[in-house]
Amino acid sequence: MKTMVSFLLLLLAAGNLPGQTSVTTTPRIIHQNGRHALLVDGEPFFILGGQAHNSSAWPGMLPEVWQAAEKLHLNTLELPIYWEQIEPHPGQFDFSLVDTLLTQARAHKVRLVLLWFGTWKNASNHYMPEWMKRDPAKYPNVIGEKGDWIDSPSPFPEATLQADTKAFSSVMHHLAKADPRHTVIMVQVENEPGTWGSVRDYSPAAQKLFEGAVPARLLEPAVLNQLPHEASSGSWREVFGKNADEYFHAWSVASYIGKVAAAGRQENALPLYINVALRDPLSNPGPGNYESGGATDNVLAIYKAAAPAIDILAPDIYLSGNEKVLKVLELYGRSDNPLFVPETIPGAVYAKYIYAVLAHGGIGFSPCGIDDNGRDSPDSVITARLTPVGEEYRTLAPMMRELAKWAFEGKITAVVEDENHGPQTIDLGNWQATVNFGGFGRGEGLPPNAQPVGKMMIIRLSEDKFIAIGTHSRITFKPTGKSSGRPWQYLKVEEGHFENGIFKPLRILNGDETDWGGPYFGNKPRVLEISLVLR
Ligand code: DGJ
């Protein structure tokens, strides 16, 4: 009888009463022809996300987090969960805060991505429980080349690995029991793991391994041939030369996280990812200019080999300028790595990259620091932070499932305004679309956008039919290829929105709204269904 009562209480906590659909299929990532989709409730899902500030996943701060989440119209909230709160004493686990997050997310009808602030948080051990911080001998940090103490946990001590493995497994086990309907759709393991202040650990234990042989897994040709190397076996220095220190640290950190993730995966099959503190994607900088040991673009092959239980290596995008940001999307959107941007800067300039991520076949996008973090900022600051992305999500949310499917099928192309505000073209097979950015009137050119905020996304429904979604821009079509130079017309241009997968027209655009250089898109996103015909 007691067992039945506790089971019913558990179902109640999970928001399920007997007779309701109490279990859904576990979210998972599928791969096809080098493209990826995140399946939630069995269908492709695109994360229209937002991440709270680091210290906001506490009951007293959540009302402000939910205010921001509502203004963003997000479908997924990224929230940290804290090792120091979950395991205040060795082996004693407290999931009360996790359960509060689950309950409130269900009440707000949004999904969660939980961020395991465990061994690493921005390279440091600051979220380890007090009992670990008080025992640096058992849970040591990295030692620098000069014997200096580095504010970054060492990936070598077995005690640290065992503690994190046990804690993370307990979290995943709890979620398997407390969240059968999968409010949580993905989990981040650690946070921007790696080390600032030293390219690797120079402790005696680390040095002994560094002077030993490179692990066989890394010497397999499919892996080794992705990395510059000077030999196909031997010590780290013999094989990787000047890159040996950095590659050794990446392998060590990735192997540690891979073991933590694999143990968590034993308890719960939710997709797992790592977020990455990037290095400059264009200048190939040496170590010391970025967090060593993280999944930077030059060591992705090492992470993939060392941590197969991690599904996604996900770039946190704080770089500026189209050239760098678009390069990052290209580097991380790979046939072996789904593209997911778990963090970027809130505001209008970065909102445009939602379209670029979708066009890359990505699975999600999320600005970081969406709540006011107890600052009591003026409304103008909050509006500037949230409205640009919020307007996008409000437009895209009703068609999220379609967008996720079109992204998986490779049907989406996008252009985003760069710093010179110049026009860009999109190849659509029989048609070419030219996108001009700026404010527009009836033909006369108004001043360009004050900031490069313009964007255009085109979904190919058929050879001559498209969905166009954009802001701060104008789109002009012309026939190309074998039809180049032929006369053509708009068959129909309808403005509207999607509802349960169906396009609901608001009006037909014609006359001034299409004749003066093509349909224009103002400050708020517009959805147009456009059919073209050759004469
Ligand atoms: C990246 C981290 O992942 C976040 O938790 C936060 O610290 C931001 N940096 C702040 O810039």
Side-chain angles (χ1 to χ4, degrees), residues 51-52 54 115 117 121-122 188 191-192 275 277 316 318 343 368:
Q51 182 174 142
N54 288 178
L115 320 175
F117 281 10
K121 174 19 175 129
N122 296 18
Q188 176 184 290
N191 190 89
E192 292 197 350
N275 66 330
D316 288 343
Y318 293 96
E343 293 183 32
C368 183

Side-chain angles (χ1 to χ4, degrees), residues 218-286:
L218 215 41
L219 299 176
E220 290 171 16
V223 179
L224 188 62
N225 291 337
Q226 294 182 60
L227 299 163
H229 58 279
E230 297 169 8
S232 55
S233 67
S235 72
W236 286 87
R237 188 67 71 203
E238 288 164 341
V239 175
F240 295 115
K242 67 180 174 53
N243 295 314
D245 304 280
E246 182 183 7
Y247 289 7
F248 172 73
H249 200 47
W251 171 264
S252 307
V253 174
S255 301
Y256 179 112
I257 297 172
K259 291 177 184 125
V260 171
R265 184 52 62 76
Q266 291 294 317
E267 301 295 336
N268 193 327
L270 282 173
L272 302 175
Y273 75 94
I274 291 175
N275 66 330
V276 183
L278 299 175
R279 69 170 198 154
D280 185 296
L282 301 175
S283 61
N284 192 26

Side-chain angles (χ1 to χ4, degrees), residues 125 128 131-133 135-141 153-154 157 159-161 163:
N125 73 340
M128 280 186 185
W131 50 272
M132 294 180 75
K133 289 176 186 163
D135 194 349
K138 188 173 181 182
Y139 309 105
N141 271 13
S154 171
T160 314
L161 174 60

